[in-house]
Structure formats: C-alpha cells, structure tokens
Amino acid sequence: MSELWSESDIGVLRLPSGRLVRGRGLRHPLAPGPPLPSYALYLLGRQPPSVPWESDWIRWPDFRLPSDRKAARAALTDAWERAAGERVEIACGGGRGRTGTALACLAVLDGVPAEEAVGFVRRHYDRRAVETWWQRGYVRKFGR
C-alpha cells in the first residue's frame, strides 16, 4: 500500500468513507512538492500524454458525458476501490466539469445519495464543479 493523500494536498476530496481522491485540471501544472498519484483516471476527448504512473483514459469530450457509459462506470468503480489504499487522481482539462462529475459519481459509490452528490462535491472540492445540467443528470442516473 502506498502512502495516501493528505487532506492538505491541493484538490483532495475526502469521501464519507475516508477515502481521499485528488481532482485536478491538466491545464494547470502540478504544484511543486505534493506526492504523485499511484493511479490516475483521465477524462478527455482525446488520449492523454503518457505519465510515469498507472493510468486509464475515458473518452469524455469537454462539457459532455462519457462516450461509453458502461466503461465509464467500470473505470469510476475501479478508481473508487483503488482509493481505499492508493493515491488516486481524477483529472480532465480544467478540473471542474468532467472531474467534478466523476468525483460526484465516486461520492455516490461511497454512499452519498445521488441527489446530494453534486452539492457534496461543490462544498468539499470546488463550488463550480459539475458544469452542465446533463452532467448533473448523469450523476443522478449514476445512482440507479
């Protein structure tokens, strides 16, 4: 098991179970000093550049929803499971819309009611997370 994130690390969301997941915008460079992820899930319209840690990619165009919803559910579930013992990072271009949506889905997996998950992420990660009404709808449907 690797050393986990700290709540003081930039962009780290604490889920109700205590799992810590870092959200990040790839347009912003990594801050100096914080630990690197041991696993990352990238949410982009095109394949991300390679990184020196284990990662997966979901094709997810900006302001939209994942192209393959079944694969997205499996990848998000895997990320949530890994967060119990690994430094997991969820990232898109800006770190708000797609990342916020994915973090809200992780919150649903962690027991937050789907109708409350967007508010949870906005309170504890970024007040502007989950940018579009269809992203909010995706989170609500994710709970079913």
Side-chain angles (χ1 to χ4, degrees):
M1 176 184 345
S2 61
E3 183 180 326
L4 298 178
W5 298 117
S6 163
E7 281 186 273
S8 64
D9 291 331
I10 296 170
V12 171
L13 171 70
R14 177 178 285 280
L15 295 168
S17 66
R19 286 175 167 91
L20 299 171
V21 180
R22 183 171 74 185
R24 185 167 72 92
L26 295 173
R27 286 187 214 117
H28 313 291
L30 283 170
L36 298 174
S38 51
Y39 172 77
L41 180 59
Y42 297 114
L43 319 168
L44 298 167
R46 58 184 166 77
Q47 189 165 0
S50 64
V51 291
W53 47 83
E54 187 180 354
S55 67
D56 285 313
W57 166 53
I58 297 174
R59 184 179 299 278
W60 192 330
D62 202 6
F63 297 105
R64 303 286 180 194
L65 298 177
S67 299
D68 182 339
R69 310 250 172 94
K70 186 176 181 182
R73 178 178 276 281
L76 290 166
T77 300
D78 181 52
W80 175 78
E81 289 170 350
R82 286 171 174 260
E86 297 179 50
R87 288 186 312 274
V88 172
E89 173 178 85
I90 306 289
C92 66
R96 287 198 171 125
R98 294 168 286 183
T99 296
T101 302
L103 291 173
C105 291
L106 296 185
V108 170
L109 291 171
D110 206 62
V112 175
E115 302 76 31
E116 298 172 21
V118 170
F120 176 85
V121 169
R122 286 178 174 169
R123 278 189 311 280
H124 301 288
Y125 170 68
D126 185 311
R127 65 183 177 86
R128 294 184 291 178
V130 192
E131 296 172 314
T132 67
W133 65 269
W134 50 85
Q135 289 172 340
R136 289 189 301 274
Y138 179 75
V139 173
R140 281 191 305 274
K141 289 178 185 171
F142 195 84
R144 295 182 192 156

